[in-house]
Every structure is written in C-alpha cells, then in structure tokens.
C-alpha cells in the first residue's frame, strides 16, 4: 500500500507539472497583452515597457515559466494583474464556499440519484420507471446554466421558497447544490438502477426470498448495500466533474467560490488567477481520482494491487 | 495673475443647487447595490473600470470634482486656486480641517505624495499618462527622479503645480480618480494591498470587504461637506448576474442594479409600467464609430470615405440595440462641450453615396474587410453595416475576433481597413473635447499600438489642437471650446470615421431611493453619484 500511494503521488506531481506547463503555454500564446491592460489606454510606450520589465514579461517563455514554477514551489501564485492582490489569498478566501457547495452537491446527487435508481429498479418497466429514466436522461443532458436559471426562476423568483442568489444560509445553498448535483443524479440513478437489477438477479437474493425475508428487508439489507459498491467509487471522480460545473453554477447563483473567480478572471484575461485556479482544480481532480481508487480498493476486495 | 476664487459660501451654493432642496434631506438609511464582478481594487491610482470609478470617488477626494450630475468643474479639496498668466503655474489653496478616515488631517504634503505616487513607475498606474503635462513627469515616470519636480507643497495648505506646457485640461486631470489624495502612512502600511484597505477623505469609508460577497461603505461622520453623504451605509453585493439582480430588484431585495438592465430584458423592462418611475435615462461621453484606415486604398480617397458614411443606415443600427443609443454625425458626443448641434455631417443618402463612388472611379465597388469584436451585439451591427455597404457595391468581409485582437489589428498601419469600434469604443475620461482628439484622431495616436485606428494624421489640425489646449486663461474658455468645435467639424469633413451612435445609459433603482435624476446617470461619477442618493424611508 505505501508503495502504491507513493507511486500515485509521484504520478500526481507529474500530472500537475504537465497541467501547469500546458496552461502556461496556452496563456502565453493568448493574443491579449496583459501589460497593455494594466497600463491602460493612456499609457506611453515607456510606461508599457517599464511595467513589462517589472513583471518579467519581457523574458523568454522558458524563463518566465521557470520563475513561475520556482515561486509556485514556495507557495507563491503571484499577484492578480487586475485586482493586484495575492492570487493565493484570493483563492483561499473563496475555497471554503466552493468546498461547501461541492459537499452539498454530492449529498444532493446521491439523495436524488439513489432514490430514483432504487425506485426504478423496484418498479422495473412501470411508467414510474420510464418517467424517472427520462428525467435522469434530462439530468445528464441538460446544460447546467439552463437547469440553474430554471430552478432559480421557478423556486426562487416565482414561488419564493429560496433566496434568489447569494451566500450565507442553508436556503442559499439548496438551489446551487441541486443544480450542480442534477447531472450526477442522472448518472447515479441509471447506474443504481442497473446495479440494483444486477444484484436482484443474483442467487443470494433468491435465497433470501426463499428464507421468507420481507421485501423491505431484502431491499435495504441485501440489495442496496451490494448495489452501492460500484457507485461509492465514483464519488471521488465527481469532485473533478464538479470543478467544471462550479464555474457555471457559481456564476448563476452568485456563489462566492473559485468557479466564479475563474469566470471573472477569464473575462478580464487575469492570467495569474486563471493559472492559480486551474492548478487548484487540477489538484482537486487528481486527489479526487486518487480517493476514488483507494475507496474502491476498500469496498471491493476483488480489486487487487499489482 | 488670474484668480479663480470660490469662497465657502459660493461652493455651498453650488452643492445646494445640485439637488432640489438637498439641504432639507435627512441623512440615514441604506441601500444595496449589486454588481456581477468582484470589485477589482479601490486604490485610486490603479482603479480604472466602470464599477470602481464612482466607488473610489465616494471614498476619496481630489483637488477638483464636478457639480453632481453635470460636467461642470468645481473645486473639491482645493478651496480656491490661481493660474499664472502664462498658464503654467497652478497654485491651489487647500481646505483646512479635512480629515482622512484614519483621523489625521490632510495637508499639501499628502497631495504631493499622491501625485508622485501615480507618476512613480513602481505603482504601475494606468493613469500616469494623464500627468504628462506636469513638469518633471518624464524623469519621474522613467524612475530617474524621485517624484514630480513640478509639484511642490509650499506650506501645509498650499500646493503649487508647474506644468511643462500649457494644458487647458489640467483641472480635469486633477478631478480624475488618479489625482485623489491618499495618506502616505496607510499606503506604506498596506503596500500593494492598499486597494483592499483604502483610506481617503471621501464621503464614505470602507468598513468591510468580504471577497466574492460584498463591500460595505459607511458614512464618514467627519466628511467636510456638511449634510453629505445622505445614506448611512451602502452594501455592494458582488457576483450577481445582471438578470438575477433585476429579479431581485423587482422583489425589493436590491436597490440599484449596478450593471444596468441586461440587453435581453431591456424592452420588456422598459415597457413594464411598474418600472416606469424607477428607470433614469442619461447621456454618456461615448461615441461608437467605424474607422476607415486612410493609409489603405481605397480609403485614402475622401470621396470613398464619405460614400461609406452616407451609405450606412444608422437608425437601423440603433434599432438593433433596442434604441439604447442616439444616432451620431460627428466624433464628439452631445454631452461633450464642443458638440455642434447645427452640424449634420454626412446624412444617410444612398444615391449620393453611389455618385461619390462613381466620382472616385469606384462605380463597380471594391472588396474590403471590417474588423469587429466577437461579442453580441457587435457582430449583428457589423452585419447591418455589411448589408448597407453592399448597397453601394462595397463587398465587406467580416473579421469577427476577440476584442484584444481587434485592438491589436487597429494598432497596425496596414492591417484593418475598417473597424467597428463597438465594445472598445472611446469613452472620455473627462468631459473635455481634447480627450476625444489626441489618442483617437490626432497624429500622436497614429502610431503602432495606438488607438487612432483610422491612422488619420492632419498636421495642421494637430497644430490647432495644440494651440487650443494652450488657451488656459479662464476668459478664453468659450473661445477654446469654439475652436475645438471647428476642429472636429473639419475632421468630420474628411470623414476618417463614420460616427454611428452615442450610447445612452439607463439606471434602474428601487422606489425606496430618491435623489435628483442627474446623479443616477452622472456623467462622471459612473454609474451613480452615491453620495447624493437618499433613502425615502427616513425622510
């Protein structure tokens, strides 16, 4: 196990290095000149060059990247071009909100997805099953900004059950978490349904029935726990998927997380922030995948380490 | 020596005139303003966007400001000032007893420090270029001198600014946010983070900034203008999409939607009777235009340029943007002093345009390119222009690119034959016609990386412009504006631009608030002059 972990962490470090290099190249190739943006339209050519020198943007690519990398290793993500604040500080201030939203979204998607999957499997081929599966299909396919605005319009604006936008109370959390979790719920309901059907067809379920166990007991004690195994392993991967989802969902609901920070930075071509958020997101994805693999290892003894 | 003196009584009268019976209005109450983006910075040396511009104006003061809701200059931290006969030396007498939010009294040394700070290359201020006429600017901005030699604190209450050349716009420059007075000790304490820990002398002081959520301003009880600001507290909620802000405003949760009415909801909102009294419409110092590169054939021929100008149906373009603008016929917007209301430019006349094309030997038309920013509604506007020009035989290919690419193409001498300026158009930094000339129509802007995308450079007009800006004597102010008016008419007769429209501004506010209409669409304190907004509930 320690050897496995060590190997995975090494892999993770290499992946992050790769991500940082690719992102840095892409942002370097961007036609926008950040210096002109900082200097403003009334700046003289000398001012522009002076700022370029101060920021080290006159250096060749490899030197700029090396500088970035060395300060990154010291925990310095640089300063935002537009806000002029420390990128690390900007991200740290917003990370808790994003984490909260992601945890809530995992709860939401599991609650919605598992319920739908179990009901569908139990009522297989009924009209309930079919309508739930259509709903799950919608969940998987609908763009999140559409779902978000729809939920916001109906439940916050028309019905007034939840605040329209913002942060702070449990009420604020419900709609963004539902929106973010809706897609995963779609996946999970389908997976749970097939996993349930798979388990329900197994011999031990027949044995349980033969023993005369009640329906509810068979379902809750024997079927669901076994059907859950492949799903638990997926949760870690969700963290990665959520990293792209939060950019949209946080913007729609005014949720003060790093997704919104990224979106604003992209619009203003604030390169240090884009870099910083990308790296944090890459970290989250790598960690999520690692967690997923480790969890899978524990819940399913059939998986063996080489 | 000419002297402009505004005594306390006179300036009080100006501020009283600003709002009908402003002095009767009680202080108190609060409001919530929303914005989509987090506030970038509140450092007056750095902040240069639509969102922080008037926030900074509420936190800080400079030597000069404008009468609320207008483009008329009035002294602010300066109590009075004198201009020497040659127009080179400005001596400001400061108001006494003005205190920073940290309690210390503001002195001439702070003014000197603040101006030096902007010129210092280490500050990386986007406003440094505005100080170009101050003596010693080149040395200070290149870092070879410590501070501006032309700015001296004569004593605690007197600051003297010597210019390297006469500059009639200098008082406007002193009203820019970049010339705001900041206390050295606070800048030293917070360094590069002064922008999130602002300390000024303004009507409001910032008391909280929670990233991604809100910024809170509270009333500065020691503010030097008695009776201002009206509100006790302003909460700026950020991260709110304009469409969401509008829904919340409708429900009474928000008082001002800072980003305005989103285009998709514009017609619906404007027609909605319940918003009738809550929307204020105003002008802004903006012109949207099509540039024609006079260095590229066939736009080197004035007849071709005029034909293009006459072939474009500007009314239709205004309809495309739901009437959020008025059609333009000259570079200057109507709000700008020097706008010529008698001038008609090149009116829409397709037959006349065809004749001009024939005169220029272009009866069969030609093929050219129109560069345009790729964000809505700009491509749709460009398509309308494309159709109009097809009517006189000009085949236009659209180059729809990211904004920065269009700006870069415009800054090259031989790249973009035509550019639609939408999304990047010039909006004046201060209400003086000079600001609409140099960078965008003068020879100085016709350089690589410059903003004069038509590459129009008329040495004779440049000379006249220079002379106009040397008319610093207040008694010449009207003559100077007349001269600028003539310069801009002369330019439009050569049609390097097709001025298309001047955008209007629309501010939507809740019915809890009130104040003179002008402050909700203030031409300088953009978007809203927060200091004068009051709460009806406490009256």
């Amino acid at each position: 196990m320690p050897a496995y972990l060590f190997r995975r962490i090494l892999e993770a470090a290499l992946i992050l290095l790769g991500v940082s290099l690719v992102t840095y190249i892409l942002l370097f190739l961007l036609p926008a000149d950040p210096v002109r943006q900082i200097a403003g339209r009334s700046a003289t050519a000398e001012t522009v060059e002076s700022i370029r020198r101060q920021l080290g943007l006159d250096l060749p690519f490899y030197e700029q990247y090396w500088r970035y990398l060395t300060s990154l290793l010291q925990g310095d993500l640089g300063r935002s071009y537009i806000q002029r604040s420390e990128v690390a500080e900007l991200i740290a201030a917003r990370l808790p909100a994003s984490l909260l939203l992601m945890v809530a979204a995992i709860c939401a998607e599991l609650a919605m997805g598992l319920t739908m999957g179990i009901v569908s499997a139990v009522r297989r081929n009924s009209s309930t099953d079919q309508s739930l599966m259509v709903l799950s299909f919608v969940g998987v396919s609908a763009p999140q900004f559409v779902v978000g605005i729809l939920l916001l319009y109906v439940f916050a604006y028309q019905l007034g059950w939840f605040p329209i936008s913002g942060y702070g109370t449990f009420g604020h959390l419900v709609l963004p978490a539902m929106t973010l979790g809706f897609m995963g719920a779609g996946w999970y309901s389908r997976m749970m349904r097939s996993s349930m059907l798979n388990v329900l067809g197994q011999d031990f379920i027949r044995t349980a029935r033969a023993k005369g166990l009640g329906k509810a007991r068979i379902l809750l004690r024997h079927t669901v726990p076994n059907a859950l195994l492949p799903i638990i392993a997926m949760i870690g991967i969700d963290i990665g998927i959520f990293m792209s989802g939060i950019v949209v969902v946080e913007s729609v609901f005014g949720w003060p997380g790093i997704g919104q920070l990224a979106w604003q930075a992209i619009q203003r071509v604030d390169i240090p922030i884009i870099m910083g958020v990308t790296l944090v997101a890459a970290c989250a994805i790598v960690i999520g995948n690692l967690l997923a693999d480790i969890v899978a290892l524990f819940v399913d003894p059939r998986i063996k380490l080489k | 020596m000419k002297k402009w003196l505004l005594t306390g009584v006179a300036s009080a009268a100006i501020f009283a005139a600003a709002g009908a019976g402003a002095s009767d209005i009680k202080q108190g109450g609060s409001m919530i303003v929303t914005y989509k983006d987090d506030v970038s910075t509140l450092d007056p040396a750095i902040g240069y966007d639509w969102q922080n511009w008037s926030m900074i104006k509420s936190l800080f003061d400079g030597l000069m400001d404008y009468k609320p809701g207008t483009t008329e200059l009035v002294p602010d931290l300066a109590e009075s000032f004198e201009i020497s006969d040659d127009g080179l030396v400005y001596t400001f007498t400061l108001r006494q007893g003005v205190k920073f939010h940290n309690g210390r009294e503001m002195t001439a040394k702070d003014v000197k420090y603040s101006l030096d700070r902007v010129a210092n290359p280490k500050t990386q201020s986007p406003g440094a270029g505005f100080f170009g006429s101050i003596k010693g600017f080149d040395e200070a901005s290149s870092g070879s001198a410590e501070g501006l030699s032309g700015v001296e604190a004569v004593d605690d209450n007197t600051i003297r600014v010597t210019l390297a050349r006469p500059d009639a716009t200098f008082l406007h420059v002193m009203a820019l946010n970049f010339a705001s007075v900041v206390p050295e000790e606070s800048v030293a304490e917070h360094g590069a983070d002064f922008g999130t820990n602002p300390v000024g002398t303004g009507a409001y002081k910032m008391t909280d900034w929670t990233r991604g959520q809100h910024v809170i301003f509270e009333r500065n009880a020691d503010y030097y203008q008695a009776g201002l600001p009206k509100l006790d507290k302003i909460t700026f909620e950020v991260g709110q999409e304009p469409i969401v802000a509008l829904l919340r405003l409708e429900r009474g949760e928000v008082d001002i939607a800072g980003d305005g009415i989103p285009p998709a909801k514009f017609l619906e909102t404007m027609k909605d009777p319940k918003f009738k009294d809550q929307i204020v419409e105003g002008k802004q110092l903006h012109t949207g235009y099509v540039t024609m590169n006079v260095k590229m054939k066939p736009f080197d021929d004035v007849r071709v340029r005029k034909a293009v100008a006459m072939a474009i149906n500007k009314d239709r373009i205004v309809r495309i943007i739901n009437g959020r603008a008025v059609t333009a016929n000259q570079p200057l917007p109507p709000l700008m002093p020097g706008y010529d209301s008698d001038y008609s430019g090149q009116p829409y006349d397709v037959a006349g345009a065809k004749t001009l094309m024939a005169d220029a030997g272009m009866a069969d038309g030609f093929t050219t390119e129109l560069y345009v920013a790729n964000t809505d509604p700009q491509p749709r506007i460009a398509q309308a222009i494309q159709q109009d020009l097809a009517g006189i035989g000009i085949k236009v290919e659209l180059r729809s690119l990211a904004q920065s690419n269009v700006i870069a193409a415009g800054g090259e001498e031989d790249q973009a034959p035509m550019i639609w300026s939408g999304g990047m158009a010039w909006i004046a930094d201060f209400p003086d016609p000079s600001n609409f000339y140099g960078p965008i129509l003068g020879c100085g802007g016709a350089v690589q990386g410059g903003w004069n995308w038509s590459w129009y450079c008329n040495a004779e007009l440049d000379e006249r412009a220079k002379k106009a800006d040397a008319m610093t004597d207040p008694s010449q102010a009207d003559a100077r504006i007349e001269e600028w008016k003539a310069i801009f008419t002369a330019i439009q007769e050569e049609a390097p631009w097709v001025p298309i429209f001047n955008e209007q501004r629309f501010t939507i506010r809740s019915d809890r608030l009130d104040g003179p209409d002008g402050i909700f669409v203030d031409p300088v304190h953009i978007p809203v002059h927060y200091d004068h907004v009051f709460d009806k509930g406490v009256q």
Side-chain angles (χ1 to χ4, degrees):
Chain A
M1 189 72 187
Y4 170 75
L5 268 183
F6 180 75
R7 205 184 72 219
R8 289 299 305 262
I9 289 169
L10 205 69
E11 271 174 25
L14 279 175
I15 289 170
L16 289 178
L17 188 71
V19 168
S20 77
L21 181 63
V22 170
T23 320
Y24 208 88
I25 291 174
L26 286 177
L27 293 173
F28 186 82
L29 294 177
L30 214 65
D33 182 355
V35 177
R36 286 207 175 270
Q37 208 169 351
I38 295 166
R41 54 186 196 180
S42 67
T44 58
E46 295 85 62
T47 314
V48 170
E49 284 323 302
S50 146
I51 294 175
R52 199 182 300 284
R53 261 199 317 280
Q54 288 181 54
L55 293 176
L57 292 175
D58 54 338
L59 301 171
F61 172 79
Y62 61 90
E63 224 170 302
Q64 285 189 37
Y65 180 63
W66 182 247
R67 274 190 175 199
Y68 185 82
L69 217 55
T70 44
S71 40
L72 182 67
L73 289 176
Q74 295 157 26
D76 179 7
L77 289 167
R79 274 184 184 267
S80 150
Y81 289 159
I82 311 287
Q83 310 200 22
R84 313 264 173 123
S85 300
E86 299 267 5
V87 172
E89 190 191 298
L90 289 172
I91 292 177
R94 284 165 168 271
L95 207 51
S98 287
L99 289 177
L100 176 65
L101 178 58
M102 287 199 273
V103 169
I106 288 173
C107 296
E109 68 178 358
L110 287 176
M112 291 190 284
L114 298 187
T115 314
M116 281 161 68
I118 294 169
V119 172
S120 277
V122 172
R123 302 262 164 99
R124 178 153 56 133
N125 295 337
S126 69
S127 55
T128 318
D129 176 25
Q130 277 159 359
S131 31
L132 281 176
M133 283 307 105
V134 168
L135 185 65
S136 82
F137 195 67
V138 172
V140 172
S141 350
Q144 280 169 322
F145 67 90
V146 174
V147 176
I149 289 176
L150 226 77
L151 289 179
L152 188 149
Y153 186 76
V154 175
F155 294 104
Y157 177 72
Q158 292 287 355
L159 299 172
W161 293 356
F162 302 104
I164 290 182
S165 164
Y167 178 74
T169 66
F170 179 73
H172 285 105
L173 183 59
V174 176
L175 292 182
M178 297 258 291
T179 309
L180 193 55
F182 193 46
M183 186 168 83
W187 284 116
Y188 284 133
S189 64
R190 300 196 143 231
M191 280 178 55
M192 190 63 186
R193 181 178 179 274
S194 60
S195 176
M196 285 279 291
L197 291 177
N198 190 19
V199 176
L200 281 170
Q202 305 253 336
D203 292 344
F204 71 91
I205 298 290
R206 201 178 45 202
T207 311
R209 280 210 192 100
K211 280 199 302 189
L213 289 181
K215 263 192 176 174
R217 199 172 163 82
I218 292 175
L219 202 63
L220 295 176
R221 285 294 299 273
H222 296 277
T223 320
V224 172
N226 282 299
L228 268 179
L229 291 183
I231 288 173
I232 291 173
M234 289 284 292
I235 295 173
I237 297 170
D238 277 351
I239 295 173
I241 296 171
F242 284 167
M243 273 296 160
S244 64
I246 57 170
V247 175
V248 174
V249 175
E250 290 185 352
S251 298
V252 170
F253 289 98
W255 192 263
I258 58 169
Q260 194 190 52
L261 181 70
W263 175 234
Q264 291 176 6
I266 289 167
Q267 288 177 317
R268 304 194 222 179
V269 205
D270 199 338
I271 291 171
I273 295 187
I274 301 176
M275 255 333 266
V277 177
T278 309
L279 286 176
V280 169
C283 272
I285 293 169
V286 166
I287 293 170
N289 284 331
L290 187 59
L291 278 179
D293 289 354
I294 293 170
V295 170
L297 213 61
F298 280 104
V299 295
D300 195 340
R302 283 169 294 188
I303 301 174
K304 282 274 177 295
L305 290 177
K306 266 195 257 166
Chain B
M1 186 170 282
K2 315 267 166 2
K3 193 161 186 174
W4 269 19
L5 189 82
L6 272 145
T7 62
V9 181
S11 63
I14 279 172
F15 288 108
S23 49
D24 308 337
I25 289 157
K26 291 193 191 72
Q27 287 173 299
S30 65
M31 70 169 167
I32 295 173
V33 182
T34 64
Y35 282 106
K36 178 167 73 67
D37 290 337
D38 203 351
V39 178
S40 54
T41 174
L42 291 172
D43 184 339
I46 312 284
Y48 197 18
D49 61 47
W50 297 116
Q51 178 184 3
N52 61 25
W53 195 249
S54 73
M55 291 176 83
I56 289 171
K57 283 193 179 295
S58 284
L59 293 176
F60 296 89
D61 295 310
L63 294 173
M64 304 294 293
D65 194 7
Y66 298 89
K67 195 168 137 184
T70 74
T71 57
E72 189 184 319
L73 271 171
V74 289
D76 190 4
L77 289 182
E79 194 170 47
S80 64
F81 56 88
E82 291 171 7
I83 307 173
S84 66
D85 287 335
D86 59 4
L88 288 177
V89 183
Y90 286 69
T91 310
F92 298 90
T93 305
L94 299 181
R95 240 170 247 288
Q96 296 199 27
V98 175
K99 281 184 183 153
F100 285 114
H101 300 151
N102 65 13
R104 183 173 68 75
E105 198 163 311
M106 184 263 323
T107 71
K109 278 201 197 78
D110 297 304
V111 180
K112 157 103 179 126
Y113 168 75
S114 305
L115 299 183
D116 285 349
R117 177 170 174 256
V118 170
N120 189 327
K122 290 202 187 81
T123 310
Q124 300 177 9
S125 169
F130 291 111
F131 292 0
S133 62
I134 299 176
K135 199 174 132 208
F137 174 78
D138 291 340
E139 294 77 10
S141 72
S142 65
S144 64
E146 198 69 32
L148 294 156
S149 61
V151 181
E152 305 155 78
V154 179
D155 57 46
D156 275 358
N157 292 311
T158 314
I159 185 103
R160 185 161 59 216
V161 183
T162 310
L163 303 184
R165 55 172 193 268
D167 178 8
T169 67
F170 179 68
L171 289 174
H172 286 291
V173 171
M174 288 297 104
L176 286 172
N177 283 1
F178 304 113
S180 299
V181 181
V182 299
E184 181 170 5
E185 66 274 17
S186 300
V187 178
E189 184 188 342
H190 298 292
D193 293 321
F194 181 67
T196 43
N197 300 278
V199 178
T201 57
Y204 287 97
K205 54 186 178 195
M206 193 200 82
T207 53
D208 183 42
W209 183 335
T210 307
R211 290 259 178 226
Q213 298 182 42
H214 58 243
V215 176
I216 293 174
F217 282 10
E218 284 179 51
R219 184 151 68 89
N220 172 12
D222 293 331
Y223 189 48
Y224 84 86
Q225 289 187 47
L228 281 180
K230 296 301 176 201
L231 297 171
D232 284 343
K233 184 178 164 187
I234 309 177
T235 305
F236 298 93
E237 289 190 5
V238 298
Q240 313 264 320
E241 285 294 314
I243 189 108
V244 173
L246 193 64
L247 295 177
R248 294 188 63 202
L249 190 130
E250 207 179 327
R251 291 220 320 210
E253 295 174 12
V254 162
D255 294 306
I256 292 178
D259 296 309
I261 307 165
K265 293 280 276 182
F266 183 73
L267 283 182
E268 187 190 333
T269 311
M270 291 299 284
K271 283 183 186 148
D272 195 332
K274 69 173 172 284
F275 289 130
K276 195 169 88 49
D277 298 323
Q278 288 171 236
I279 297 172
V280 185
E281 180 177 355
K283 296 186 172 80
Q284 57 177 336
L285 296 165
H286 162 278
T287 304
Y289 48 87
V290 174
T291 59
M292 287 167 280
N293 189 330
V294 301
K295 295 207 169 175
M296 292 175 80
K297 276 186 188 316
F299 294 120
D300 54 340
D301 187 331
V302 65
R303 289 170 297 188
V304 174
R305 300 200 297 266
K306 279 190 165 167
V308 169
M310 288 158 71
I312 297 175
N313 184 347
K314 298 170 186 174
D315 285 315
R316 182 166 72 140
I317 296 174
V318 168
R319 281 199 299 278
I320 289 176
I321 58 163
N322 291 330
R324 301 177 78 140
V326 291
T327 58
N329 59 28
Q330 55 193 296
L332 292 183
L335 185 61
M336 183 70 92
Y339 176 81
D340 189 344
S341 49
D342 299 326
Y343 183 69
S344 57
Q346 292 89 26
Y348 182 48
D349 174 8
V350 178
K354 282 182 181 158
T355 314
L356 275 174
M357 287 287 280
D359 290 351
M362 286 280 169
D364 298 333
F366 57 91
T367 302
T368 186
E369 292 172 347
L370 174 63
Y371 282 65
V372 54
N374 59 6
T375 46
D376 191 70
Q378 314 312 340
R380 286 190 288 137
I381 293 174
Q383 281 162 13
I385 295 170
Q386 186 184 34
Q387 282 172 20
D388 287 340
L389 294 185
I392 58 166
I394 302 176
K395 191 169 173 296
V396 178
E397 286 162 16
L398 297 185
R399 293 276 173 274
S400 178
L401 304 168
Q403 189 174 311
S404 49
N405 296 27
V406 181
I407 293 173
E412 296 294 333
E413 196 173 339
D414 53 2
Q415 204 176 338
M418 297 176 84
I419 299 176
W420 159 240
S421 75
M424 310 153 287
W426 199 258
I427 300 180
D429 296 293
F430 50 81
D432 188 275
S434 168
N435 190 243
F436 244 78
Y437 179 78
I440 44 179
L441 283 162
C443 297
V447 292
Q448 207 222 356
W451 281 76
N452 184 345
W453 300 335
S454 58
W455 291 82
Y456 176 75
C457 170
N458 183 329
E460 186 203 324
L461 288 181
D462 246 34
E463 198 50 43
R464 278 172 71 183
K466 215 163 138 191
K467 279 199 188 121
D469 276 349
M471 294 163 78
T472 53
D473 190 324
S475 69
Q476 290 175 295
D478 290 342
R480 174 172 173 271
I481 294 298
E482 281 304 313
E483 174 61 3
W484 269 116
K485 192 186 271 186
I487 290 172
F488 278 101
T489 323
I491 291 173
Q492 195 53 45
E493 282 307 303
E494 297 220 65
W497 283 10
V498 186
I500 303 286
F501 57 57
N502 307 110
E503 268 173 25
Q504 295 283 91
R505 285 173 47 211
F506 298 85
T507 299
I508 184 160
R509 60 175 162 90
S510 70
D511 58 5
R512 289 183 51 244
L513 302 179
D514 214 345
D517 275 356
I519 62 156
F520 287 101
V521 285
D522 196 290
V524 184
H525 291 240
I526 289 166
V528 172
H529 197 319
Y530 299 122
D531 304 1
H532 291 263
V533 177
F534 66 85
D535 187 331
K536 284 200 240 173
V538 298
Q539 302 307 317

